[in-house]
Amino acid sequence: MTVELISVGTEILLGNIVNTNAAYLAEKIAILGLSCYHQSTVGDNEERLEDAIRLALSRSDIVILSGGLGPTKDDLTKEVTAKVFGRELYEDAHTKERIQSYFDQTGLKKEITPNNWKQALVPEGAIVVDNHNGTAPGLILEGEGKTAILLPGPPNEIKPMFERDIAPYLNRLQPEGIYSTMVKVCSIGESKAETMVADLMEEQTNPTLAPYAKTGEVHFRVTAKAADEETAGKLMEPMLQELKKRFGNYIFTMDENVTMEESIVDLLKEKQMTVTTAESCTGGLLSGRILNVPGASAVYKEGYITYSNEAKEKLLGVSHETLETYGAVSYETAREMAAGAARSAGADVALAVTGIAGPDGGTKEKPVGLVYIGCFVKGKVRAEEFHFTGNRSKNRDYAVIKALTLLREELLEK
């Protein structure tokens, strides 16, 4: 069964926004075992959008359109798709009620304008998919062996809608369901991780094993095709056990929805430890990653952004002599920052980051991308040196993930 993606929006064509929806949908479709041979982007133009939909339906079983479901005149996806399928629009009472409820709950009742009710119009015979995070419902149109699935554009709306309603719908269309489990690995590079499972990938039939490289992580998706989830689970179990045997503690989760920082917060809770952060070049990115986790307040004490040498001395107790002798970006300073943060915050654990993110500030001895990370756990301090080669943003991102990885290693050892 083939699926084609159409992203709708002039702002995507002009480069005003990055089309993350297409990447997300393509990955999810592959996970479901569906084939995707074509993707396209169309601006907010009725004629060109109609041509794109007709072409997609001529060569694919299912067409998924994202965007163009808003209340304004240039939002045409629903109207044009209904025209292609020969359907009239009517006002759906259920959808109108949900739109009214959404505005009531968000306190925007006075701002409802007549064009908002445009989103309550749906094509005849369409399956309406409730939007639990916005006002534009999703729509599924079926006819003559073809299906069009219309999804809202905002990522915070399309993703939960796909997970909740569209993925199960697509799975039901197949003679056998596709079920998968994600194994997330850290502290091992992509090349080494793939080498460790090369034999499994060569011998795979059902289930299959596929690696995905992420920033500082490697994810392995184990996928099985079976009549039901229980049977798929039995098929996947031997391979999952083999991955556990080969990677051991390098596996930080086998839940697709769990992030590295979530696993670390859970680990801190389990060990009844508190944590603090001291950051220079990352400027709060590290603490932000930790505090994005619901419930992080149970383990996170307080944080320090010590960009200047004066702040490192004043807030963290880094010695003036250390800064004069070794510099702010040094193994010694990272160690003292971590120990000082733990002492100042009264925390069991501390992470410290100091480095040269770029694009300026580097020297021959200390080039751009040089980062030192210190980790304090219950009196023990460990520091590591890293050399990153990206731009400023990438260097800071890599520093954060390496800091989290280092913390996890120390917590497990402790």
Side-chain angles (χ1 to χ4, degrees):
M1 187 172 292
T2 59
V3 177
E4 186 158 338
L5 303 179
I6 300 178
S7 303
V8 183
T10 302
E11 67 276 12
I12 301 175
L13 285 175
L14 296 177
N16 294 332
I17 63 171
V18 178
N19 188 6
T20 58
N21 286 343
Y24 168 80
L25 291 171
E27 181 179 13
K28 293 299 181 182
I29 288 167
I31 291 169
L32 290 169
L34 300 166
S35 299
C36 180
Y37 303 132
H38 301 279
Q39 296 183 22
S40 60
T41 302
V42 186
D44 302 307
N45 177 278
E46 182 175 354
E47 182 179 348
R48 287 190 286 273
L49 179 56
E50 181 179 346
D51 288 344
I53 295 172
R54 291 189 184 280
L55 176 61
L57 288 171
S58 72
R59 62 192 180 191
S60 301
D61 303 303
I62 301 168
V63 179
I64 299 180
L65 299 102
S66 59
L69 297 181
T72 60
K73 289 183 179 180
D74 63 347
D75 291 308
L76 302 167
T77 302
K78 174 175 54 185
E79 290 77 5
V80 176
T81 307
K83 177 183 177 182
V84 171
F85 276 76
R87 310 284 179 85
E88 295 294 328
L89 298 176
Y90 74 96
E91 186 173 87
D92 180 49
H94 171 74
T95 300
K96 185 174 183 179
E97 183 181 337
R98 287 190 61 84
I99 294 171
Q100 180 70 61
S101 176
Y102 176 86
F103 279 99
D104 290 344
Q105 291 174 11
T106 54
L108 300 175
K109 185 175 181 180
K110 294 181 180 179
E111 297 185 20
I112 298 180
T113 54
N115 60 353
N116 284 118
W117 302 123
K118 173 177 179 283
Q119 294 179 303
L121 298 175
V122 304
E124 294 174 337
I127 300 171
V128 179
V129 182
D130 289 341
N131 187 342
H132 297 273
N133 299 278
T135 54
L139 297 165
I140 301 174
L141 284 78
E142 301 170 324
E144 298 182 4
K146 302 288 185 175
T147 301
I149 300 175
L150 283 57
L151 302 175
N156 66 331
E157 296 180 27
I158 194 173
K159 290 181 180 180
M161 182 180 291
F162 190 92
E163 297 286 347
R164 178 188 176 102
D165 297 294
I166 305 305
Y169 170 84
L170 292 173
N171 221 5
R172 288 194 297 269
L173 297 181
Q174 302 185 89
E176 288 186 296
I178 304 294
Y179 304 90
S180 63
T181 297
M182 183 73 84
V183 179
K184 298 184 180 182
V185 174
C186 64
S187 299
I188 299 180
E190 177 188 5
S191 298
K192 181 179 179 181
E194 188 169 347
T195 300
M196 291 172 66
V197 297
D199 59 316
L200 297 179
M201 295 178 66
E202 289 174 3
E203 299 170 1
Q204 63 184 350
T205 51
N206 187 25
T208 59
L209 178 65
Y212 300 87
K214 304 292 182 179
T215 303
E217 304 173 13
V218 180
H219 298 178
F220 291 98
R221 182 174 295 281
V222 180
T223 304
K225 184 181 292 186
D228 54 67
E229 188 171 4
E230 182 179 354
T231 303
K234 291 178 180 178
L235 288 171
M236 290 188 285
E237 188 59 26
M239 184 172 288
L240 294 174
Q241 290 301 322
E242 186 62 28
L243 291 175
K244 289 179 183 178
K245 178 182 176 181
R246 298 188 186 194
F247 290 104
N249 281 338
Y250 292 132
I251 298 174
F252 67 88
T253 184
M254 294 179 69
D255 185 334
E256 182 172 3
N257 298 313
V258 172
T259 62
M260 168 73 81
E261 53 267 32
E262 286 174 327
S263 71
I264 289 173
V265 168
D266 288 341
L267 198 55
L268 287 165
K269 288 179 179 179
E270 178 186 322
K271 293 179 176 292
Q272 298 184 323
M273 290 182 175
T274 54
V275 65
T276 187
T277 54
E279 303 178 66
S280 183
C281 65
T282 49
L285 289 178
L286 176 57
S287 59
R289 282 282 291 268
I290 297 173
L291 293 173
N292 276 340
V293 179
S297 58
V299 298
Y300 191 85
K301 297 280 285 187
E302 57 189 61
Y304 307 91
I305 299 176
T306 54
Y307 218 70
S308 67
N309 285 359
E310 292 77 11
K312 291 178 177 66
E313 292 185 48
K314 179 182 177 181
L315 298 176
L316 305 177
V318 177
S319 75
H320 186 76
E321 182 180 356
T322 296
L323 292 168
E324 284 289 316
T325 304
Y326 302 103
V329 180
S330 64
Y331 176 87
E332 291 78 9
T333 296
R335 286 178 59 88
E336 290 192 29
M337 286 175 66
R343 181 175 57 251
S344 297
D348 303 306
V349 176
L351 273 177
V353 183
T354 180
I356 306 169
D360 303 317
T363 64
K364 183 177 180 180
E365 293 75 22
K366 295 184 178 182
V368 168
L370 174 64
V371 174
Y372 291 92
I373 299 173
C375 182
F376 174 99
V377 179
K378 289 286 189 177
K380 176 188 173 183
V381 186
R382 173 186 170 188
E384 296 287 343
E385 177 181 316
F386 298 93
H387 292 266
F388 305 125
T389 57
N391 58 25
R392 180 179 178 83
S393 177
K394 279 294 184 182
N395 289 339
R396 296 171 82 211
D397 287 341
Y398 276 118
V400 169
I401 194 65
K402 288 297 184 182
L404 292 172
T405 302
L406 182 60
L407 173 55
R408 182 177 180 275
E409 290 174 1
E410 289 300 296
L411 288 174
L412 289 176
E413 182 177 326
K414 194 68 178 179

